[in-house]
Amino acid sequence: MQRSLDDLALFLAIADAGGLAGAARATGQSAATLSRRMTALERDLNRRLFERGARGYTLTAAGRELLAEAEPLRDVAQRLTRWASADPTPRVRITTGHWTSRFLARHIRRVWSPGDAWVPEFLASNANVDLARREADIGVRNRRPEQNWLAARVTLPVHYAVYGVDPQVQEFLALPDGYPTTPSDRWVRRHHGDEIVTGASDTRLMLDLALSGMGRIVMPTFAGDAVEGLARLSPPIAEIAHDEWLVMHQDARHDPPVRAAIDALFTLLSDPALRPAP
């Protein structure tokens, strides 16, 4: 037996109203249509769901059992109603590391305005979000993808340097053990592991620690040079410089909102005025 969810929704409306007249007002269906649909539902289920009488429709024992089984549909219907009434402008989910997320958030209004056919939604994470499973629409990555179902577009190279409030600060800051690492974090542990004084669970918190004078921090030059109160304390670190790639699923890149987002992000990330060479 297969019945549509519409029939079950009508069943719920009649059960709530206790009759066809109230259910007709609630659903916009005629009483005759409701009666016909419930008769067909009873026939398909091989169960009598209602006692029909002068006082309306009263649920039978089988009807009460079906009511209990169908109750979760109310929540589904409410969620679908909220979804249908929400802003239809698609959100394009962009996953990046913390520094690039911060850069994009500060400059996104250069390439996006309210009323555009897409809305950016940032997922800041140093861990790779799975684009193949559509956990995000666009990823900003530090290497070209090898999977043939992913497409990529190169932007500008990313360079790193050591920053701090003062050359007198000698200690370093790093992510705690167990957190997704970054090229800069691995470099600090490799070359200054015995100078790490403390760390924080994300790079934005480490920036605050660096600004307090707690320790030095390794940052992309496009991010570090823009922070008031920090000074560059080293030349660019060639060992961890890398190309940067916009990565997306081969199919998703043809979706107009995603295509518009790719072009906008490329404009920002490839602008030498915003991200000058070190």
Side-chain angles (χ1 to χ4, degrees):
M1 188 287 301
Q2 289 186 345
R3 295 302 301 175
S4 72
L5 293 177
D6 287 343
D7 285 342
L8 294 176
L10 295 177
F11 165 80
L12 289 172
I14 296 171
D16 290 344
L20 298 181
R25 289 191 295 271
T27 64
Q29 301 283 341
S30 69
T33 297
L34 292 172
S35 177
R36 186 174 64 254
R37 297 280 287 271
M38 290 305 99
T39 298
L41 180 61
E42 289 177 321
R43 183 175 61 249
D44 288 347
L45 292 172
N46 196 29
R47 287 176 174 82
R48 189 172 181 82
L49 303 176
F50 298 101
E51 295 291 350
R52 297 159 172 84
R55 295 188 176 182
Y57 274 42
T58 303
L59 290 173
T60 64
R64 291 191 295 273
E65 290 176 357
L66 179 59
L67 178 63
E69 294 293 334
E71 278 292 343
L73 291 177
R74 297 183 191 278
D75 182 55
V76 174
Q78 291 173 355
R79 295 204 308 269
L80 289 174
T81 299
R82 287 195 298 269
W83 176 82
S85 61
D87 184 357
T89 305
R91 295 180 180 273
V92 177
R93 297 159 302 164
I94 303 158
T95 174
T96 75
H98 292 287
W99 299 128
T100 304
S101 294
R102 190 167 182 262
F103 170 85
L104 292 174
R106 292 177 64 190
H107 298 291
I108 191 65
R109 290 300 298 271
R110 294 172 180 262
V111 294
W112 177 88
S113 300
D116 284 356
W118 63 285
V119 176
E121 184 172 271
F122 294 105
L123 309 174
S125 175
N126 289 326
N128 280 339
V129 174
D130 196 339
L131 297 174
R133 297 191 180 191
R134 308 299 179 88
E135 294 176 356
D137 300 298
I138 302 171
V140 183
R141 300 285 188 255
N142 59 16
R143 60 183 180 273
R144 185 171 189 164
E146 298 177 356
Q147 301 91 334
N148 58 12
W149 60 83
L150 295 177
R153 189 174 180 182
V154 69
T155 61
L156 289 176
V158 176
H159 301 272
Y160 295 80
V162 177
Y163 290 85
V165 294
D166 189 284
Q168 300 300 318
V169 177
Q170 296 297 314
E171 295 81 6
F172 277 79
L173 303 168
L175 292 168
D177 292 337
Y179 280 79
T181 61
T182 63
S184 57
D185 186 70
R186 291 191 290 272
W187 182 87
V188 169
R189 292 184 177 278
R190 194 159 52 244
H191 295 280
H192 300 277
D194 57 349
E195 301 169 70
I196 296 173
V197 61
T198 189
S201 60
D202 67 62
T203 47
R204 184 61 183 84
L205 287 173
M206 282 204 291
L207 174 58
D208 290 334
L209 288 172
L211 287 169
S212 76
M214 179 69 77
R216 298 183 173 203
I217 185 172
V218 176
M219 298 174 60
T221 55
F222 72 78
D225 290 348
V227 178
E228 185 176 354
L230 282 187
R232 194 190 290 193
L233 302 180
S234 78
I237 306 169
E239 182 181 338
I240 54 175
H242 59 77
D243 288 335
E244 180 180 71
W245 297 84
L246 284 171
V247 180
M248 71 294 300
H249 197 282
Q250 289 279 11
D251 295 335
R253 65 177 176 149
H254 300 297
D255 185 26
V258 175
R259 179 78 261 167
I262 292 168
D263 291 340
L265 297 180
F266 180 81
T267 297
L268 287 181
L269 296 174
S270 300
D271 188 340
L274 296 176
R275 303 177 82 185

